């Protein structure tokens, strides 16, 4: 067959496929819009462009429809129809997926937007909070604070609690209270075939409950999480220190931090991260220490000084004591926690993560290689970047005290989760290709200079669409079980998106 004949044959095949798909798509949209009771936006609808814009502007996808259910029965209808027409669907709570999985991570997916599921109630007898997954973290914190309660969660007020709690959920109180997913007592969820499951727990749909705490978006559309809450501390101390260091001094400061967090007397109430950026000049690194102390303020200095004594006098230091909710607002960086009616922002970025094993802290060789790279190649980068070395482990960490197999979250022996993040200039497209290399080389400078077989991982909430071996890095020994459960609860692969659990 000649090249021209091959081309004609290929074109005929494509046309036949499109001819078979288009009626099914039209029927799906007709059925969705004909059911009534919930809003459906299609590419021809006013408001569709805004509804289908990703938080990360590196991605542009065109969903088949964006739906706005208000009840679990609406979601059941939507998923029953996507299953009927062999179409794929995805849940979106806050929409902050780093790779736009809240839009399906590709064209043609039906988005189930959960923003109408925004109630927060607290049972006064049990202190269990029922939280709709359409809530943002800032609004959850405000609602719980009205009852004197709190949860461990991240600092960004606009992050949706659905995805956050479904795959992890780290914050500065996590060493004391665990990850957000660790607080969940039961979950209301709608399965791919439309089945509504109320109260999946350790005694009801226990295997599903296990999978939903670590990989929820691959298994269903969660509507409400029922979480244990904690008494808001009487006070909180937020600290921020900053230095401009040479690579060797920054490496020594990080090595000292690794030793500090393994000291036998480190209280659970200490949460912290090292924040890195470009230094004042080539050959220097911006080195910060940020965190929270959630115990009496008069104990703060004696707890942190054993670490600070290893560093020179900081260029700047700010220590702020106040109420717990004031500390949440301060860490949020916006001057407010309320997100209702206030549009979210956007960025154009790439991110990676690295979870380092507590049993084998980063070697001095790797730290020196890493900081030398930041001080030189990082200084000359054509993108804006930062690195956060978040403290997960250390003595008495509530994160690591949870048994490995209790949930689908697979990294219960980590010292740090490191987030590597770089944005296009001005935060707008296009994203420079050098940004990918910048972060890849940052990670490699650490991994390649630790012993062979170093048991590191990665964090799904900092999801990386270019990550090789992601099944092991994200889910480790839990991936085979997750695959089996995917076959059971989503046999038609309705929830299929980049880096979803594969059936």
């Amino acid at each position: 067959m000649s090249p021209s004949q091959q081309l004609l044959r290929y074109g005929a095949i494509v046309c036949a496929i499109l001819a078979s798909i288009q009626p099914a798509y039209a029927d799906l949209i007709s059925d969705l819009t004909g059911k009534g009771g919930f809003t459906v936006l299609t590419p021809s609808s006013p408001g569709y462009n805004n509804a289908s814009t990703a938080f990360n502007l590196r991605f542009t996808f065109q969903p088949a429809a964006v739906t706005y259910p208000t009840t679990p029965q609406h979601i059941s209808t939507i998923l029953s129809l996507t299953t009927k027409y062999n179409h794929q669907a995805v849940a979106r709570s806050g929409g902050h997926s780093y790779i736009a999985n809240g839009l399906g991570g590709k064209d043609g997916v039906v988005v189930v937007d959960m923003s109408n599921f925004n109630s927060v109630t607290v049972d006064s007898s049990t202190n269990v909070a029922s939280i709709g997954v359409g809530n943002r973290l800032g609004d959850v914190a405000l609602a719980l604070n009205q009852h004197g309660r709190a949860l461990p969660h991240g600092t960004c007020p606009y992050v949706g609690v659905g995805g956050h709690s479904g795959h992890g959920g780290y914050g500065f109180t996590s060493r004391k209270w665990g990850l957000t997913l660790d607080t969940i007592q039961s979950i209301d969820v709608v399965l791919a075939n439309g089945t509504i499951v109320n109260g999946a727990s350790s005694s009801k749909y226990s295997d599903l409950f296990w999978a939903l705490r670590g990989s929820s978006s691959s298994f269903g559309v969660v509507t409400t999480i029922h979480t244990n809450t904690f008494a808001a501390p009487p006070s909180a101390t937020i600290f921020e220190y900053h230095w401009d260091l040479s690579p060797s001094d920054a490496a020594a400061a990080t090595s000292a931090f690794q030793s500090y967090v393994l000291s036998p007397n480190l209280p659970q109430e200490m949460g912290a991260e090292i924040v890195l950026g470009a230094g004042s000049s080539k050959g220097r690194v911006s080195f910060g220490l940020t965190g929270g102390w959630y115990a009496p303020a008069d104990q703060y200095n004696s707890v942190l000084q054993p670490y600070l004594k290893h560093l020179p006098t900081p260029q700047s230091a700010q220590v702020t004591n106040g109420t717990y909710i004031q500390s949440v607002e301060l860490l949020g960086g916006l001057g407010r926690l309320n997100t209702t009616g206030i549009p979210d922002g956007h960025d154009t970025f790439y991110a990676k993560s690295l979870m380092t094993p507590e049993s084998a802290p980063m070697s001095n060789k790797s730290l020196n290689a890493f900081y030398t790279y930041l001080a030189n190649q990082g200084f000359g980068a054509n993108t804006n970047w930062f690195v956060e070395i978040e403290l997960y482990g250390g003595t008495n960490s509530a994160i690591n005290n949870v048994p490995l197999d209790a949930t689908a979250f697979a990294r219960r022996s980590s010292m740090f989760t490191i987030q590597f993040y770089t944005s296009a200039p001005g935060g707008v497209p296009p994203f420079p290709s050098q940004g990918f290399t910048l972060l890849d080389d940052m990670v490699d400078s650490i991994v390649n200079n630790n012993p062979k077989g170093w048991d590191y991982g990665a964090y799904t909430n900092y999801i990386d669409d270019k990550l090789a071996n992601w099944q092991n890095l994200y889910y480790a020994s839990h991936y085979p079980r997750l695959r089996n459960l995917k076959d059971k609860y989503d046999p038609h692969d309705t929830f299929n998106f980049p880096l979803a659990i594969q059936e």
Side-chain angles (χ1 to χ4, degrees):
M1 185 181 296
S2 69
S4 60
Q5 290 174 317
Q6 289 178 331
L7 185 60
L8 288 170
R9 182 183 179 189
Y10 174 75
I13 292 172
V14 170
C15 288
I17 292 173
L18 289 175
S20 64
I21 290 175
Q22 191 60 32
Y25 168 76
D27 289 344
L28 168 65
I29 299 303
S30 177
D31 277 0
L32 282 173
T33 56
K35 291 298 180 182
F38 57 89
T39 299
V40 180
L41 300 181
T42 63
S44 61
S45 303
Y48 173 86
N49 288 340
N50 183 60
S52 60
T53 298
F55 167 66
N56 186 354
L57 298 178
R58 187 162 64 87
F59 298 94
T60 55
F61 297 124
Q62 187 175 67
V66 181
T67 63
Y68 293 85
T70 60
T71 68
Q73 186 57 55
H74 289 163
I75 300 172
S76 175
T77 298
I78 294 166
L79 295 182
S80 295
L81 288 172
T82 56
T83 298
K84 173 183 175 180
Y85 291 104
N86 195 28
H87 214 82
Q88 290 167 343
V90 69
R92 177 173 70 179
S93 64
H96 273 241
S97 168
Y98 280 14
I99 61 172
N101 275 345
L103 293 171
K106 55 190 173 185
D107 292 334
V109 176
V110 173
V111 175
V112 184
D113 185 283
M114 299 301 293
S115 55
N116 291 319
F117 291 75
N118 56 9
S119 67
V120 179
T121 61
V122 178
D123 186 318
S124 59
S125 62
T126 63
N127 289 317
V128 170
S130 297
I131 304 172
V133 299
N135 281 286
R136 309 293 183 109
L137 298 184
D139 300 303
V140 170
L142 287 172
L144 294 181
N145 189 65
Q146 293 180 357
H147 300 270
R149 310 300 292 180
L151 279 179
H153 57 70
T155 59
C156 178
Y158 276 92
V159 167
V161 74
H164 191 65
S165 65
H167 302 88
Y170 166 81
F172 288 123
T173 57
S174 287
R175 293 194 66 258
K176 176 68 172 174
W177 296 337
L179 300 171
T180 311
L181 66 79
D182 294 326
T183 70
I184 298 176
Q185 306 300 299
S186 64
I187 296 175
D188 300 338
V189 61
V190 185
L191 302 181
N193 63 4
T195 299
I196 299 173
V197 176
N198 290 319
S201 67
S202 57
S203 58
K204 177 183 178 182
Y205 286 88
S206 59
D207 55 354
L208 176 64
F209 182 57
W210 180 85
L212 292 172
R213 291 172 298 152
S215 189
S216 67
S217 53
S218 291
F219 290 91
V221 175
V222 173
T223 60
T224 303
I225 56 173
H226 305 278
T227 70
N228 186 28
T229 62
F230 303 86
S235 70
T237 302
I238 302 303
F239 53 89
E240 296 180 76
Y241 300 90
H242 178 256
W243 297 263
D244 189 71
L245 300 177
S246 68
S248 59
D249 286 344
T254 307
S255 179
F257 192 62
Q258 291 185 136
S259 298
Y260 165 75
V261 301
L262 292 176
S263 61
N265 298 319
L266 182 68
Q268 287 182 314
E269 290 80 7
M270 175 58 73
E273 66 182 15
I274 293 171
V275 183
L276 307 170
S280 60
S281 61
K282 187 174 182 179
R284 308 291 291 181
V285 176
S286 172
F287 187 101
L289 181 70
T290 297
W293 167 246
Y294 300 96
D298 59 4
Q299 300 173 12
Y300 163 73
N301 284 329
S302 63
V303 172
L304 194 58
Q305 279 305 315
Y307 173 61
L308 293 180
K309 71 180 183 181
H310 293 283
L311 283 86
T313 301
Q315 288 185 319
S316 64
Q318 184 172 354
V319 179
T320 306
N321 181 257
T323 65
Y324 172 76
I325 199 65
Q326 286 172 338
S327 76
V328 178
E329 182 177 293
L330 178 61
L331 290 168
L334 299 180
R336 58 178 170 80
L337 292 172
N338 174 38
T339 71
T340 304
I342 306 172
D344 195 3
H346 296 279
D347 196 3
T348 304
F349 66 94
Y350 177 55
K352 300 184 73 67
S353 65
L354 184 64
M355 302 186 78
T356 70
E358 190 163 276
S359 60
M362 290 180 285
S363 67
N364 289 332
K365 180 182 178 182
S366 70
L367 290 174
N368 278 289
F370 173 57
Y371 282 112
T372 297
Y373 184 86
L374 296 190
N376 293 283
Q377 289 87 341
F379 183 81
N382 67 342
T383 54
N384 304 310
W385 60 270
F386 67 81
V387 177
E388 293 175 336
I389 304 178
E390 303 164 346
L391 177 57
Y392 271 55
T395 308
N396 299 318
S397 168
I399 298 174
N400 291 351
N401 284 345
V402 175
L404 173 61
D405 294 331
T407 71
F409 187 82
R411 297 288 173 178
R412 295 292 184 178
S413 58
S414 297
M415 175 179 285
F416 302 128
T417 288
I418 309 176
Q419 177 178 199
F420 309 81
Y421 187 109
T422 189
S423 298
V428 296
F431 182 81
S433 60
Q434 298 94 322
F436 300 114
T437 303
L438 176 72
L439 294 198
D440 290 342
D441 289 350
M442 284 185 189
V443 174
D444 288 347
S445 69
I446 297 174
V447 172
N448 294 343
N449 287 287
N450 275 291
K452 187 177 181 179
W454 192 53
D455 186 25
Y456 66 94
Y459 180 42
T460 48
N461 274 347
Y462 301 151
I463 194 164
D464 172 9
D465 60 324
K466 298 182 178 299
L467 185 64
N469 192 29
W470 60 268
Q471 295 91 337
N472 176 64
L473 294 176
Y474 287 141
Y475 298 108
S477 60
H478 291 164
Y479 194 75
R481 182 180 179 188
L482 287 167
R483 281 198 64 175
N484 289 335
L485 291 175
K486 180 73 167 177
D487 291 340
K488 177 178 180 180
Y489 287 106
D490 185 17
H492 299 289
D493 206 20
T494 296
F495 306 114
N496 179 306
F497 46 85
L499 280 64
I501 303 300
Q502 299 168 345
E503 62 172 336

